[in-house]
Amino acid sequence: MGRVAYGSAGLLALALLTACSAGGTSGGTAGKPDGVAMAGAGARAASVTFSPADKAADVPTDQPVVVSAQGGTLRSVRVEGDKSGSLDGVLSGDRTRWRSTVTARPGVTYTVTAVSADAAGKQTQTRSTFKTVKSNKTFDIKTITPNKDYTGLTVGVGMPVMIEFDQPIADRVSVERNLLVRSSKPVEGAWHWFDDTHVDFRPRKYWPAHTKVRVDAKLAGVRGGPGMYGKRDVRLNFKIGREQITKGSVNNHVLTVRRNGKKVRTMPMSAGQGGQWKYHTTSGIHLAMSREPVTIMTSPGIGPGSPGYYRLTVYNTVRISNSGEYVHSAPWSVGSQGHANVSHGCVNVSPANAAWFIKNTLIGDPIIITGSPRKLEPMNGWGHWQESWKQWLKWSSIKSGPTVTLP
């Protein structure tokens, strides 16, 4: 799996049977290639070849280790690093080929030990060594969202996976193919690069309700750019909760909340008033970004004493963008809710409805607003769903596909 996980163990086994490897032939004696052990007299020889070749240097960390047996089978293969642990791998069904399944670490000398058996069952142990390319610097995941602060890692059906790196990534393909997404229910999804330090994942459609999701960022040793390699692996587990989608219109002045397709609450609302200050609530597919019992709101770009300035203490707020939009309690506009738009751009609801909404909303729940002349920008908060699937894939480095089902 690249950005998105592909295939299964069965497909992997098939790949091992059909893959090719370069044999080590760096000057052995008596006409025998380097790294080959011969069986005793009276038995047909079983030989073993290694890739990378014995004593190879500056080997790329993402080059797989392949061990092949001819005239016999492999009983075991072990790859040990002098500065790091072992490399895991898989053996083909006919036990003639072994291939590593993890990325090597930079600047490490690895010893490959293979035990093979000839047709008569005689076992021979063979060793080969290689050294990987050196690293000048490392990169790491700076933040990954959702995280433990998000309601016990139970989130809404619109929740993206968002990764921020501490260094600009030049080799996006190498990094993306090592960002693996698995889910308990199959979905089609893809990663999307917003810039050199941010890559996010979302499904083509909303996550199915009650889906378990695992993200494995297998980045230790992965090339992120010239001389730069991943510092460590990171794993994230989270759950999708019930499906709750809220829709509202700035023209009809009503928010309707549906849970698993069933209407559970209707709330009169008041949206942005527009006017000379252009206080418009954005139209689009917003996501609940935070739930805040108390929020201090001030007029953007307007200081104290200037016309249009305000500073308000607001209660029971659910943030839906980075441009200061919330669904929140507004006792001062109850008389307009359901009839007119009088807010500074937020979605005003009554204190009772705001208390219910903050309690019943998960981070990542879609909140869809329509009818406004101002559109939500894809990079305004978590406006990921503003992009069509075709637009989303445009900024992917690897073809999308289904997630692998969790065991």
Side-chain angles (χ1 to χ4, degrees), residues 178-228:
N178 286 282
L179 300 176
L180 316 178
V181 180
R182 296 177 173 86
S183 59
S184 59
K185 299 177 183 180
V187 302
E188 182 181 2
W191 292 95
H192 178 292
W193 291 86
F194 283 98
D195 56 43
D196 288 342
T197 59
H198 294 84
V199 62
D200 296 356
F201 177 96
R202 56 156 264 215
R204 183 170 187 171
K205 300 178 180 179
Y206 295 142
W207 295 99
H210 308 297
T211 299
K212 296 179 181 179
V213 183
R214 176 180 295 167
V215 181
D216 279 312
K218 299 194 174 192
L219 299 176
V222 169
R223 184 180 185 273
M228 183 176 72

Side-chain angles (χ1 to χ4, degrees), residues 103-178:
T103 304
R105 304 298 188 265
V108 174
T109 297
Y110 286 94
T111 300
V112 186
T113 304
V115 176
S116 61
D118 62 18
K122 181 177 178 60
Q123 295 188 22
T124 305
Q125 180 173 280
T126 317
R127 285 193 176 91
S128 178
T129 63
F130 67 91
K131 188 172 183 178
T132 54
V133 64
K134 291 182 179 180
S135 172
N136 295 326
K137 61 180 179 179
T138 62
F139 72 92
D140 197 3
I141 289 179
K142 183 177 180 180
T143 62
I144 186 167
T145 305
N147 53 53
K148 63 182 180 180
D149 297 328
Y150 290 77
T151 322
L153 287 175
T154 298
V155 296
V157 296
M159 189 73 208
V161 177
M162 295 170 282
I163 292 177
E164 179 185 5
F165 297 105
D166 65 352
Q167 302 288 338
I169 302 300
D171 193 341
R172 294 183 178 183
V173 172
S174 178
V175 168
E176 192 174 313
R177 69 159 57 105
N178 286 282

Side-chain angles (χ1 to χ4, degrees), residues 251-272:
N251 298 318
N252 296 335
H253 315 295
V254 173
L255 279 179
T256 301
V257 183
R258 294 184 180 275
R259 187 174 299 158
N260 300 322
K262 181 180 179 180
K263 185 189 295 185
V264 294
R265 198 170 185 93
T266 299
M267 301 181 292
M269 60 168 267
S270 179

Side-chain angles (χ1 to χ4, degrees), residues 255 269-271 281 320 326-329 343 345-349 369:
L255 279 179
M269 60 168 267
S270 179
T281 304
I320 61 174
Y326 293 79
V327 179
H328 68 78
S329 171
S343 84
C346 290
V347 177
N348 290 182
V349 295
I369 305 297

Side-chain angles (χ1 to χ4, degrees), residues 321-358:
S321 78
N322 276 346
S323 55
E325 295 172 285
Y326 293 79
V327 179
H328 68 78
S329 171
W332 57 86
S333 69
V334 168
S336 298
Q337 293 167 20
H339 307 287
N341 295 322
V342 298
S343 84
H344 296 117
C346 290
V347 177
N348 290 182
V349 295
S350 71
N353 281 330
W356 181 91
F357 194 64
I358 193 173

